[in-house]
C-alpha cells in the first residue's frame, strides 16, 4: 500500500485516532466514516485487527508508505535497545519530522513539501530528502529566501510550545536537534508493543 494522499480526517475517524495529533479530526464527528457511521457501533476487533490498527496509526501519523514503514521497523529491530523506542526515535529523527517539531510547518505533510521543494538546510547544506535521518547536534533552518514566507511565519506563530529535544530560534527560523526524544515525550496513545507483535506474528 502506498502513502495515503487522500483525506487525513477520514483516516483518523476510521482509526479513532488523531493522525494530526491535534484531536480536531474527531471533535465534530467522533464516529467511523460512511453512510451509517453515526448510527452504528464500532466493530469489535480481533487481536490481529488491533495490532494492524496500531501499526496504521503510527504509519499514517508519520506519513510513510507501507514499504517505508516496514523498512524502518526492520532497521530498528537490528539496533540495540528497545525496538519500540528505537522506532519512535528513528521516526522523530527524520528531517520532515524535525521540521514539523520545530514549528516551520503546521503538519508533517506540509513539512515534507518544504523539504521536497528545497527550502530546508541541514548544517548549512540543502537537503531535499524528507526521510533523511538527522544526527543529534545538527542544525535545521529555512533557506534565507523563504524565511519570510507566510507558510513558515504562520506555522511558527501558531506554536504554543516546543518539544524539549529541539531548540528553536523563531526569529531566524532556525533550530537544533539537541538530543533524542524520550518515549514519554511522544504520543501516549500508541501502543508500540502491538506493532512489534504484528510484525512477529
Amino acid at each position: 500500500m502506498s502513502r495515503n494522499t487522500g483525506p487525513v480526517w477520514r483516516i483518523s475517524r476510521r482509526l479513532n485516532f488523531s493522525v494530526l495529533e491535534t484531536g480536531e479530526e474527531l471533535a465534530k464527528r467522533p464516529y467511523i466514516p460512511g453512510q451509517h457511521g453515526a448510527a452504528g457501533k464500532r466493530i469489535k476487533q480481533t487481536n490481529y485487527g488491533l495490532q494492524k490498527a496500531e501499526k496504521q496509526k503510527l504509519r499514517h501519523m508519520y506519513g510513510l508508505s507501507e514499504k517505508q514503514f516496514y523498512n524502518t521497523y526492520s532497521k530498528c529491530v537490528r539496533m540495540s535497545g528497545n525496538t519500540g523506542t528505537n522506532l519512535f526515535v528513528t521516526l522523530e529523527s527524520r528531517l520532515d519530522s524535525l521540521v514539523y517539531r520545530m514549528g516551520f510547518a503546521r503538519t508533517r505533510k506540509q513539512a515534507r513539501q518544504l523539504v521536497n521543494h528545497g527550502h530546508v538546510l541541514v548544517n548549512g547544506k540543502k537537503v531535499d530528502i524528507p526521510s533523511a535521518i538527522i544526527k543529534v547536534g545538527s542544525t535545521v533552518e529555512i533557506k534565507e529566501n523563504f524565511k519570510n514566507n507566510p507558510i513558515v511565519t504562520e506555522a511558527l506563530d501558531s506554536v504554543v510550545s516546543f518539544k524539549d529535544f529541539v531548540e528553536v530560534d523563531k526569529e531566524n527560523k532556525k533550530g537544533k536537534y539537541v538530543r533524542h526524544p524520550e518515549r514519554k515525550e511522544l504520543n501516549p496513545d500508541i501502543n508500540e508493543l502491538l506493532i512489534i507483535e504484528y510484525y512477529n506474528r
Side-chain angles (χ1 to χ4, degrees):
M1 185 183 293
S2 61
R3 187 173 69 242
N4 177 71
T5 56
V8 174
W9 286 34
R10 190 177 181 87
I11 294 173
S12 294
R13 290 170 57 206
R14 174 65 63 187
L15 295 171
N16 194 29
F17 170 80
S18 177
V19 171
L20 298 178
E21 295 186 276
T22 62
E24 59 186 47
E25 309 103 304
L26 305 174
K28 288 186 177 181
R29 293 184 288 179
Y31 48 83
I32 60 175
Q35 184 177 359
H36 306 291
K41 295 181 179 179
R42 290 186 177 275
I43 300 172
K44 185 177 180 180
Q45 291 182 306
T46 61
N47 285 336
Y48 170 77
L50 290 170
Q51 294 164 3
K52 184 176 181 180
E54 212 65 21
K55 184 262 297 181
Q56 294 293 68
K57 290 177 185 178
L58 195 62
R59 184 174 78 81
H60 285 300
M61 190 170 82
Y62 286 95
L64 274 64
S65 68
E66 190 66 56
K67 185 176 181 180
Q68 284 177 316
F69 190 83
Y70 177 72
N71 287 342
T72 301
Y73 174 82
S74 298
K75 291 177 183 176
C76 294
V77 169
R78 296 191 294 269
M79 295 166 63
S80 60
N82 183 282
T83 300
T85 302
N86 290 340
L87 182 58
F88 268 103
V89 169
T90 301
L91 291 170
E92 286 291 337
S93 297
R94 284 169 54 102
L95 180 54
D96 54 357
S97 285
L98 287 174
V99 169
Y100 167 70
R101 291 299 187 191
M102 291 176 182
F104 303 143
R106 287 180 178 269
T107 63
R108 287 189 176 86
K109 185 178 286 188
Q110 192 177 71
R112 190 177 303 114
Q113 194 172 37
L114 286 178
V115 176
N116 276 330
H117 290 178
H119 299 310
V120 177
L121 304 177
V122 177
N123 295 328
K125 297 181 180 179
K126 185 180 81 171
V127 178
D128 57 7
I129 302 172
S131 62
I133 301 299
I134 307 304
K135 294 181 179 179
V136 169
S138 299
T139 58
V140 178
E141 64 181 308
I142 301 299
K143 282 182 72 174
E144 191 64 40
N145 62 359
F146 204 75
K147 285 185 176 181
N148 294 324
N149 189 280
I151 292 175
V152 178
T153 304
E154 291 172 10
L156 272 171
D157 288 343
S158 68
V159 177
V160 177
S161 62
F162 297 98
K163 295 291 185 181
D164 289 340
F165 55 86
V166 296
E167 292 177 352
V168 181
D169 181 349
K170 295 178 75 170
E171 185 176 344
N172 293 310
K173 313 291 193 301
K174 187 175 185 178
K176 184 177 181 180
Y177 187 25
V178 294
R179 63 171 173 79
H180 286 145
E182 297 177 12
R183 178 63 185 93
K184 62 184 180 182
E185 297 175 294
L186 305 175
N187 199 309
D189 296 327
I190 296 287
N191 185 347
E192 59 270 31
L193 293 179
L194 289 177
I195 299 173
I196 295 172
E197 289 174 8
Y198 173 82
Y199 283 117
N200 289 339
R201 70 191 190 282

